[in-house]
Every structure is written in structure tokens, then in C-alpha cells.
Amino acid sequence: VHGPASALILFSDTGGGHRAAAKALDGALRRLEPDVRVTWCDPLIGQGKAIARRVGSLYPTIIKRSPRTWGAIFHASNNPASFVAIKAALRAQLRPVLERQIAVADPDVVISVHPLLNHVTASLLSRGRRSRALVTVVTDLVDVHRGWACRRADLVIVATEAARAAALRRRLRPDRVLNLGLPVDLAFRPAEAGEKQALRRRLGLDEERPTALLVGGGEGTGGLLTQAQVLAADTNPWQVIVICGRNQALRRRLLSCSFETPTLVLGFVDDMPELMRASDLVVGKGGPGAVAEAIASGLPIVITSFLPGQERGNVRYVREAGAGRYAPRPRRLLTAVTDLLGGDGSVQRDMAARARALSRPQATLQIAAACLRIARAYRADAQASR
Ligand code: UDP
């Protein structure tokens, strides 16, 4: 087969998780095949037509102001009749953008990491002049929205056995559903001996104090202000790092607070792997990104909230594995963090060991390898039929 393989990654900036998955896969594809051609497209928001862009951009507002509304939208959109209507509406919005992108990128494989992009892409690909593979990488851990379950995809990659079972219930072919794990940036890994202290020093933190990292997804949601106040207003034996993401108002509020417990307030960061390695515990909403990154870093996670819909199963997943706690109220949050960081460290060590046992450091590379394998097969086919 001549020439490097070509992949088009479809994602959308609804939340930070899909972009994070796209970035992780991009890195793994290049690691495995340095001259691979990778193109990205966000056909909803970034490159989307006006209506798709406007509707897609509502996501952060909805999840910030009313998670319950989001739950209603998620469940309403997850029934067969309404999903047919959604697909039709999406087709009109997405088709021109996707057609152009596919023509320009000429991919052997299209990799979708978003639940709303699969069906429209599959129908476009089935009508194209050359055949191209479609791989769907599910970025949710347990609950599989019907948008992920596209029967025409060559492969659907899931992160847990529960998700695989859910996908099979949606009548996907068993040989097309692979449980390989969640794509996590290759830079996430447990800290080596002495690394935690060195990273803390660089951040201007106390080297020895147990450290909690507060995150609320890319948008800084999930009640970070209250959580920071609960964990830092009074004197505690730990220190806190708060990642506000794109939530500027939160960042300003937090910077004007006076905390008794040492607290570092940061905006949108691009060194999350290092920040996790500097920490002993992740606290925040149970987004798949945060959960998977904490696990990959060998850290326990205290989940303070979850989006009704796709994030509900994450809580059970983490608790059943013993890799974290669920603490939706301030009092329970303080108890959980005191248990983990306030004592002799044995609870934290035990949970961290369980998080490490759950981690799948090969997942991202294996997903990328599966994508490349299928890309080569389609490329050989296309060249043979020329
Ligand atoms: N993230 C980041 N910088 C920030 C805040 C978040 O890189 O300042 C990343 C984080 O590492 C994760 C993603 O954004 O990969 C958030 O994904 P998650 O699923 O936790 O939440 P979402 O934003 O999708 O609701």
C-alpha cells in the first residue's frame, strides 16, 4: 500500500472531553505512524453552520445553569423516534461541512469521538466514490447513548464491559464492538518517586502537603466555588489546586477569596498531566475525561456531581472499583477528603492502588492501532480498485 495513512477525526467542543479524546488519539496515531496524515473537524461548533453552531454552543450554558434540563434533553434524544428526527435535523446541518472536509482530507478512516456525528457520517461514507472506514470511539464510560451505536460503523470502541453490553443491546455486531478503554492523552501516568515533590515545588506549593486537585471539566462547572470554600476556607492539613477551565467568572471569584488552607487558583491549563502528578486526589464532577485521567494518573477521585444522562454510570464504576467516592454535599465532601488526605495516608494509598489496577495504559495506543489497521485495509482496497 503506497503513501501514509490518512485519518479524519470528528469531534466537537461541547465540553472538553471530546477534544481531549481527539488530542489523545492524534498523539497515539502519530506515535505509531509518524507520517500519518491527521485532520480534525468540529462540524457542530468550530466549522459548523450557523444553527448547529448556535445550538451546540448552548451546551456549556445548559450544563452550568441547569444540569436537570440537560438530563431531560439526553433522555428525550435517546428514544428511537426523537433520534430519527434529530438525525434528520443534523443531516441538513452537518452534510455540507462533512462533505467538504472528507473531500479535502481524503481520509482512509474517519474516527468519530462524538455521539451526534456517527450516523450522518456513515450515510455520507456509504454514498462516497471511494470506500472509507468509520471508527466510533465512545468517550463515555458506561452509558451508551443511541447516537454512539451506529450499525454501519466498522468498529465501535468502548471503555468497559458494561458499555459493550449496552452497545450489543443496541444490536451492534459483536465482532465490531471492542472494549479497549477510553482514549487518554499518553502524557497521563502515575508520578515516579520524587516527581510529585519536584512538580509541587515548580508550582510554588508545599512539597510535602497532601494535595487535592479540583476540576470541573473544560467549562469549570459543577460547583467548584463551594467545593473550594468547603476544602480551603478553614485550616486543613492539605493544600488545594483549583482548575477553573474556561470559567473566567469563577476564577475571578476564587482569586478574591481568602483561604486558610493553601490554595492555587488556575484558569484553563494545558498541563493537566503534570498537575495530576503533583496531586494525591482529584475532586470534581464525574466527567469521563476527569475520571479516566485520574485513573491513568493512579489517583483516587471524589466525584461531587455528574451530568444526568451520560455521566451517571461513571459514579458506580468508580465506587464499585474502590477507586473513588461520591460526595454530592459539602459535608460529605469534607468527610471524604479528610478520610483521604487528613489521616496517615493509608486510605489514599489503598484507593490509589485500586485506581492503578483499573488503568489501561495501553488503551489509547491500542485504539490508534485498530484505526490504523482498518485504514490500511481500506487504503489497499481503494488502490486496488483504481
Ligand atoms: N481540561 C484541560 N484544561 C482545563 C480544564 C480541563 O485540559 O483547564 C481537560 C481535562 O484534562 C479533560 C477535559 O478537559 O481532558 C474535560 O473533560 P471532562 O470529560 O472531564 O468534562 P467535560 O468538559 O467534557 O464536561
Side-chain angles (χ1 to χ4, degrees):
V1 188
H2 312 295
S6 163
L8 171 62
I9 302 182
L10 302 180
F11 76 106
S12 187
D13 272 325
T14 50
H18 304 294
R19 177 181 280 275
K23 182 163 170 271
L25 287 173
D26 183 306
L29 289 165
R30 289 176 203 278
R31 170 87 63 92
L32 293 175
E33 203 171 298
D35 56 355
V36 64
R37 281 191 296 126
V38 185
T39 317
W40 293 35
C41 174
D42 173 353
L44 281 172
I45 298 181
Q47 284 143 276
K49 294 180 39 152
I51 293 179
R53 210 163 50 227
R54 263 200 240 157
V55 175
S57 307
L58 287 176
Y59 179 77
T61 313
I62 298 173
I63 63 166
K64 236 184 280 174
R65 303 246 175 95
S66 176
R68 227 186 270 172
T69 304
W70 172 252
I73 294 173
F74 179 93
H75 291 294
S77 68
N78 205 8
N79 94 25
S82 50
F83 196 64
V84 168
I86 290 171
K87 271 191 293 195
L90 279 169
R91 190 167 301 127
Q93 289 292 311
L94 298 179
R95 217 177 118 171
V97 186
L98 287 172
E99 267 173 351
R100 204 172 44 238
Q101 273 298 321
I102 291 169
V104 172
D106 189 21
D108 305 306
V109 60
V110 178
I111 306 171
S112 157
V113 296
H114 199 284
L116 294 181
L117 307 176
N118 303 294
H119 292 81
V120 180
T121 305
S123 75
L124 278 181
L125 293 183
S126 68
R127 274 183 283 120
R129 252 185 296 145
R130 67 158 281 202
S131 58
R132 309 174 197 276
L134 173 62
V135 177
T136 294
V137 181
V138 179
T139 61
D140 290 317
L141 276 165
V142 184
D143 294 316
V144 179
H145 187 280
R146 90 179 35 246
W148 291 114
C150 175
R151 269 172 237 148
R152 278 187 283 177
D154 295 85
L155 274 181
V156 174
I157 293 170
V158 295
T160 58
E161 275 309 303
R164 183 158 194 277
L168 296 183
R169 280 198 297 278
R170 295 205 186 281
R171 293 191 292 127
L172 294 187
R173 276 173 46 178
D175 59 325
R176 293 191 177 189
V177 185
L178 296 183
N179 169 9
L180 295 179
L182 215 60
V184 180
D185 197 296
L186 297 174
F188 287 95
R189 56 166 176 80
E192 284 160 13
E195 199 180 1
K196 214 175 267 273
Q197 288 71 19
L199 285 167
R200 287 178 188 164
R201 208 175 320 135
R202 215 161 72 199
L203 291 164
L205 293 169
D206 188 314
E207 284 179 33
E208 298 308 327
R209 254 178 199 258
T211 306
L213 183 71
L214 270 58
V215 286
E219 307 299 332
T221 54
L224 285 176
L225 179 63
T226 310
Q227 289 156 27
Q229 280 162 342
V230 167
L231 296 180
D234 298 328
T235 309
N236 292 297
W238 54 76
Q239 60 195 347
V240 175
I241 307 173
V242 194
I243 312 288
C244 302
R246 278 180 282 269
N247 194 338
Q248 290 293 343
L250 171 71
R251 179 156 182 247
R252 282 193 297 273
R253 270 302 291 280
L254 283 169
L255 285 171
S256 70
C257 292
S258 64
F259 293 118
E260 294 297 323
T261 297
T263 298
L264 176 65
V265 177
L266 301 172
F268 193 90
V269 301
D270 52 18
D271 56 350
M272 195 67 87
E274 287 77 17
L275 286 160
M276 287 212 177
R277 283 203 290 280
S279 306
D280 300 293
L281 172 66
V282 174
V283 176
K285 100 182 168 70
V291 170
E293 289 164 7
I295 289 170
S297 308
L299 295 184
I301 178 162
V302 174
I303 297 180
T304 49
S305 65
F306 59 88
L307 275 181
Q310 75 269 35
E311 291 179 0
R312 189 182 45 122
N314 299 357
V315 175
R316 200 174 20 143
Y317 175 74
V318 164
R319 282 171 75 187
E320 278 178 3
R325 295 255 186 106
Y326 178 51
R329 303 247 175 281
R331 191 191 298 254
R332 276 170 76 179
L333 174 61
L334 190 60
T335 307
V337 175
T338 306
D339 287 350
L340 276 145
L341 302 184
D344 62 359
S346 60
V347 180
Q348 191 277 347
R349 278 195 298 278
D350 179 51
M351 283 197 155
R354 287 168 192 264
R356 275 200 301 278
L358 210 54
S359 88
R360 298 169 85 174
Q362 296 305 317
T364 314
L365 287 171
Q366 284 174 350
I367 298 169
C371 293
L372 287 171
R373 226 171 10 248
I374 211 158
R376 272 185 227 112
Y378 271 78
R379 192 172 181 79
D381 246 17
Q383 288 178 352
S385 63
R386 221 182 263 156

